[in-house]
Amino acid sequence: GNSVTQMEGPVTLSEEAFLTINCTYTATGYPSLFWYVQYPGEGLQLLLKATKADDKGSNKGFEATYRKETTSFHLEKGSVQVSDSAVYFCALSSNDYKLSFGAGTTVTVRA
Amino acid sequence: SAVISQKPSRDICQRGTSLTIQCQVDSQVTMMFWYRQQPGQSLTLIATANQGSEATYESGFVIDKFPISRPNLTFSTLTVSNMSPEDSSIYLCSVGPHGTGKDEQYFGPGTRLTVT
């Protein structure tokens, strides 16, 4: 079956630091890959996605590249802000549109 | 993206009772899903709500405990039956595919349930 393994947190960074959250997956076929973000007290929001190998998803300064050879979809941001403090979830979906989520990584950015 | 609302936003319930959660979307969508997020945990898919037919449940979830209705393409309900403290979670509905993002899912704000 499908599964997502995500770097465990929590992660604490200073403002303007570089952020990487590792995500690897196991899936049959060719899944679509997503990063969702959950800000404190808010619902789950789609941050970015990639639907095929070598696609790069980007949004709000975050990027992730679909690497089929390493079955990975690592999230990166070059310079984080306090407002980026949130829980980040890596997820995948196959042909049936069901989402499988990673465990989530809590990121705290200090001023 | 779709605008999704859920009612109630939160509730505190006594064990042994049932709670029905509503999910309303501002446009017709093909698929609706219900997820559970236990405290400090990730999201787990409960079931796919099928319009006009019985929901499709994931392993570990059964209809008697989580009955689901989907009378049309914009509305669904999830009931948490005979609740116990272990049912304390955030329950979220999602919809997809929608618009140009054929495989994207969008989530409602969630219903925070506490069972005492």
Side-chain angles (χ1 to χ4, degrees):
Chain A
N2 297 338
S3 67
V4 177
T5 302
Q6 189 174 338
M7 184 177 95
E8 290 191 20
V11 175
T12 303
L13 303 165
S14 297
E15 224 170 9
E16 299 183 4
F18 185 86
L19 171 67
T20 299
I21 305 176
N22 290 339
C23 172
T24 58
Y25 67 90
T26 302
T28 54
Y30 303 96
S32 294
L33 302 175
F34 306 88
W35 279 99
Y36 281 85
V37 59
Q38 191 171 38
Y39 297 103
E42 296 187 17
L44 206 63
Q45 300 176 25
L46 177 63
L47 180 60
L48 55 84
K49 73 169 189 179
T51 58
K52 60 182 187 296
D54 300 325
D55 265 3
K56 177 186 284 188
S58 61
N59 187 24
K60 299 182 180 181
F62 289 89
E63 293 183 340
T65 301
Y66 190 144
R67 300 287 188 199
K68 191 170 186 297
E69 64 275 13
T70 55
T71 61
S72 65
F73 192 55
H74 305 321
L75 183 67
E76 297 182 337
K77 185 172 185 180
S79 177
V80 294
Q81 306 299 313
V82 172
S83 57
D84 294 324
S85 298
V87 182
Y88 293 83
F89 293 94
C90 186
L92 70 81
S93 75
S94 292
N95 293 335
D96 58 7
Y97 301 107
K98 298 176 184 178
L99 283 172
S100 297
F101 284 87
T105 302
T106 299
V107 173
T108 302
V109 181
R110 299 177 303 193
Chain B
S1 64
V3 177
I4 306 163
S5 60
Q6 284 185 234
K7 290 184 193 178
S9 58
R10 59 177 63 224
D11 207 342
I12 300 173
C13 301
Q14 292 191 340
R15 70 176 66 206
T17 63
S18 298
L19 176 72
T20 296
I21 302 167
Q22 299 179 4
C23 178
Q24 179 75 54
V25 191
D26 68 341
S27 57
Q28 293 186 342
V29 291
T30 306
M31 307 188 78
M32 296 180 77
F33 304 90
W34 286 98
Y35 290 82
R36 180 176 73 182
Q37 186 178 19
Q38 293 177 300
Q41 303 296 313
S42 187
L43 284 81
T44 302
L45 179 64
I46 297 171
T48 303
N50 300 309
Q51 195 265 328
S53 64
E54 197 169 279
T56 305
Y57 290 84
E58 298 300 304
S59 176
F61 297 96
V62 295
I63 188 171
D64 289 347
K65 176 67 175 177
F66 297 101
I68 288 171
S69 77
R70 188 164 175 205
N72 56 52
L73 293 177
T74 63
F75 185 78
S76 177
T77 66
L78 168 75
T79 299
V80 185
S81 302
N82 188 25
M83 288 184 284
S84 66
E86 292 70 36
D87 294 320
S88 297
S89 297
I90 299 174
Y91 292 86
L92 301 102
C93 68
S94 73
V95 303
H98 191 270
T100 57
K102 67 174 181 64
D103 52 0
E104 294 176 9
Q105 282 187 35
Y106 294 93
F107 284 80
T111 295
R112 185 179 294 271
L113 171 62
T114 303
V115 184
T116 59

